[in-house]
Structure formats: structure tokens, C-alpha cells
Amino acid sequence: MKIYQKNKIETTGGVALREIYLFGHKIFSYKLNKFKKVMKNCKNKCDIPTQMLHKLLTENNLKIIHQVGIVISDRATIGKKCTIFQNVTLGRKGEYTPTLGDNVTIYANAVVIGNVHIGDNAVIGAGSVVLKDVPAGEVWAGNPAHFIKKI
């Protein structure tokens, strides 16, 4: 495999931008192909199981704003039109998993663990750790998460 292709074009500063671009593009393509192979063999070992993700995106109209670091348990229940930002964890605690209602928004770095029910139209603030139920139409934030206001 040829990773590095030498097509050097000097700029006024003497930096070979095209050379750097080609090198980065080759590395990215190599990593992407490797990732595709891993995803085929991954199934339930991925952060978000692929079949579950496809169902959530198409049927439930889930919005993932920035897909980095999101972990969703394979047993979690997610309602329709939910929005999830980066680094969110919807995780299990033993046999118990979280349940999200419809139109729930979970901001960056939030963690929802265990037998937690988040009501319809609720908002979970950034960096929150939710360990107990959140009623519908409320904003919760903090570590541990607590009531902030009604919507």
C-alpha cells in the first residue's frame, strides 16, 4: 500500500501544503477503510449497535448533533424526535437501562445511568449526571442532576 505520494508544491512560506494534504488524505482513507472492516465485525461490541442506530435515525427521527463519543446501551429506550449531543452516555446499571420520552434534548458530556425515566420535552444540561427520574417538561443539570426550571 502506498501511503505517501510525493507531489510537492512549494508555497511562499516554503511549506509544502499539497504534500501535507496528500499525506493526511492517504492516512484518513486508510483509517476509514480499516474502520469499515471493523464495523462489519462489530455488531453489539460498538458504542451504538448499528442496527439500533439505523432504527433510531429513520423511525424515531433521532438527531445526533456531533457523533463523537456517544455511548448508548443496546437496551436503552429512546422516544421520537430526541436530540443528543457529543460524549453522551446512556448506560446500564446492572440490568436497568434509561428510558427517554419524546422530544428530549441531552447536551454534551451528560451521563444517564440505570433505571432512569426522562419525561417528554425534558432537557438535560451539559455535564450532568442523571441518576433519578426527570419529569416531563423540566430542565435538569448538575452533578448529580437537579431541577433547574420548568419549560
Side-chain angles (χ1 to χ4, degrees), residues 9-10 35 45 60 90 101 103 119 127:
I9 297 174
E10 296 290 330
F35 176 72
K45 296 177 184 173
N60 289 15
L90 302 175
N103 202 29

Side-chain angles (χ1 to χ4, degrees), residues 104-119:
V104 172
T105 302
I106 303 178
Y107 285 98
N109 300 315
V111 178
V112 183
I113 296 177
N115 190 19
V116 176
H117 298 278
I118 299 178

Side-chain angles (χ1 to χ4, degrees), residues 21 24 63 68 71 75 93 100 125 131 147 149:
Y21 167 78
K63 292 182 207 165
V68 174
V71 178
R75 295 183 185 169
K93 185 176 183 183
L100 275 62
L131 301 173
F147 172 76
K149 68 176 186 174

Side-chain angles (χ1 to χ4, degrees), residues 21-74:
Y21 167 78
L22 290 173
F23 181 71
H25 181 70
K26 290 289 183 182
I27 294 293
F28 177 76
S29 299
Y30 174 74
K31 294 282 187 185
L32 184 63
N33 289 335
K34 204 167 190 178
F35 176 72
K36 287 178 183 176
K37 288 177 186 175
V38 169
M39 284 300 288
K40 286 180 184 176
N41 300 325
C42 191
K43 293 188 181 175
N44 290 333
K45 296 177 184 173
C46 296
D47 290 347
I48 305 172
T50 52
Q51 291 175 344
M52 177 184 169
L53 182 61
H54 178 70
K55 180 184 176 195
L56 288 171
L57 292 174
T58 56
E59 294 176 15
N60 289 15
N61 199 17
L62 174 68
K63 292 182 207 165
I64 296 178
I65 303 302
H66 193 288
Q67 59 270 22
V68 174
I70 296 175
V71 178
I72 299 176
S73 171
D74 57 344

